[in-house]
């Protein structure tokens, strides 16, 4: 089946559409298992979901979540950890039970075991119903950098220089020297097993990655292209990110 590509006017419309899809999923199945990403792109969607939950339009009481990745060496109290990000942007503002939110522990005594336990817990929960993704400038998904295997599982990965630079441009870390060089990341195989994938891309900085992901061949050079054959995959872009695919 081909990818369902949705091009919307701007970032706000992308956030709303993504929130609509998550709301529909949770209403259809209150005990949904959701996969989440961090980064700038999904922030608007999380703000939307928080507002809808506060307004009583949707409840996350029965939901379990898994996050894609975490920096190795950062604990959940660190303000650049992805656990902190998720609590701050979403979990603290919705009615989800905190113990049903799963973010890899960046300071686990045995990071390899942490990755294995994460995979086992996804299986024990019945698999992910819908995984929300962003895309890196180099086409990465989660921290699966170019060259990652299509069947890769949750593991310790090394960040590329381009990702370290992108994450220290002032939005998150202020200085590349502060960015951990390693992370724990769900694999491409892990992500592909989700029953539904929703990938968001906004801004002209993503236009080349979006083109490679959608119009290029399925290739290790662009990890997001490895999702092309997923049978329930929606790619939501704003006009700037879609500039090179129309
Ligand atoms: C983070 C993640 C990453 C980001 C990507 C884009 O959990 O999965 O792959 O989605 O680096 O980041 P932003 O949205 O900040 O451009």
């Amino acid at each position: 089946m081909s990818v369902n590509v949705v091009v919307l006017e701007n970032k706000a419309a992308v956030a709303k559409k993504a929130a609509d899809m998550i709301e529909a999923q949770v209403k259809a199945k209150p005990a949904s298992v959701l996969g989440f990403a961090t980064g700038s792109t999904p922030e608007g969607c999380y703000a939307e979901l928080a507002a809808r939950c506060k307004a009583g339009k949707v409840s996350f009481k029965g939901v379990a979540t898994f996050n894609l990745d975490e920096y190795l060496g950062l604990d959940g109290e660190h303000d650049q950890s992805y656990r902190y990000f998720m609590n701050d942007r979403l979990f603290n503002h919705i009615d989800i039970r905190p113990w049903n939110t799963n973010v890899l522990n960046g300071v686990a005594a045995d990071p390899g075991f942490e990755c294995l336990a994460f995979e086992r817990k996804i299986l024990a929960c019945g698999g992910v119903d819908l995984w929300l993704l962003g895309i890196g400038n180099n086409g990465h998904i989660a921290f699966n950098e170019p060259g990652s295997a299509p069947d890769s599982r949750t593991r310790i990965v090394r960040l590329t220089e381009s990702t370290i630079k992108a994450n220290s441009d002032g939005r998150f870390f202020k200085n590349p020297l502060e960015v951990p060089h390693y992370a724990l990341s769900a694999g491409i195989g892990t992500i592909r097993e989700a029953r539904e994938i929703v990938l968001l891309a906004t801004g002209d900085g993503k236009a080349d990655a979006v083109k490679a992901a959608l119009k290029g061949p399925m290739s290790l050079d662009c990890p997001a292209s490895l999702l092309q054959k997923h049978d329930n995959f929606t790619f939501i872009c704003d006009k700037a990110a879609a500039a090179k695919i129309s």
Side-chain angles (χ1 to χ4, degrees):
M1 214 175 119
S2 61
V3 186
N4 176 25
V5 182
V6 179
V7 180
L8 298 169
E9 191 60 35
N10 52 34
K11 205 174 164 173
V14 169
K16 192 171 171 310
K17 172 74 180 163
D20 288 347
M21 292 182 76
I22 292 170
E23 180 182 332
Q25 169 64 40
V26 172
K27 283 189 167 150
K29 182 180 173 189
S32 285
V33 179
L34 301 177
F36 283 138
T38 55
S40 299
T41 314
E43 284 182 309
C45 170
Y46 296 153
E48 260 301 316
L49 291 174
R52 292 181 194 191
C53 186
K54 268 203 182 95
K57 290 188 186 145
V58 60
S59 169
F60 294 86
K61 274 190 184 138
V63 166
T65 66
F66 289 87
N67 258 82
L68 287 170
D69 40 19
E70 180 59 283
Y71 289 111
L72 186 63
L74 299 195
D75 69 39
E77 303 285 303
H78 191 290
D79 65 2
Q80 292 305 327
S81 73
Y82 286 166
R83 161 55 78 183
Y84 185 98
F85 177 102
M86 288 307 300
N87 288 348
D88 185 54
R89 307 308 203 276
L90 184 64
F91 299 148
N92 289 347
H93 311 290
I94 60 176
D95 58 353
I96 197 163
R97 318 255 192 228
W99 53 89
N100 287 334
T101 67
N102 298 281
V103 183
L104 287 150
N105 178 3
V107 293
D110 182 341
F113 183 78
E114 175 70 11
C115 293
L116 201 64
F118 182 83
E119 291 273 348
R120 295 193 71 128
K121 196 156 183 198
I122 291 176
L123 277 182
C125 289
V128 172
D129 290 301
L130 184 159
W131 212 319
L132 185 71
L133 305 179
I135 182 170
N137 298 333
N138 63 359
H140 72 222
I141 46 172
F143 276 130
N144 295 287
E145 300 285 18
S148 301
D151 59 354
S152 48
R153 312 301 312 187
T154 306
R155 66 205 185 289
I156 301 167
V157 294
R158 189 178 164 86
L159 275 51
T160 60
E161 287 308 316
S162 108
T163 298
I164 290 172
K165 198 165 155 249
N167 289 357
S168 57
D169 63 1
R171 290 173 306 147
F172 300 114
F173 292 94
K174 304 278 174 284
N175 177 336
L177 295 175
E178 292 169 10
V179 184
H181 286 200
Y182 290 89
L184 308 181
S185 176
I188 297 173
T190 320
I191 295 166
R192 277 164 40 140
E193 279 170 13
R195 286 181 275 283
E196 180 170 6
I197 295 176
V198 178
L199 195 157
L200 313 182
T202 56
D204 55 8
K206 298 290 170 68
D208 286 322
V210 169
K211 184 178 175 198
L214 287 171
K215 300 286 181 191
M218 286 177 72
S219 157
L220 300 191
D221 294 339
C222 177
S225 72
L226 300 172
L227 303 176
Q228 282 173 10
K229 291 240 159 65
H230 194 281
D231 59 12
N232 193 357
F233 177 25
T234 304
F235 205 121
I236 310 175
C237 307
D238 66 2
K239 281 189 171 164
K244 296 189 177 171
I245 56 166
S246 37

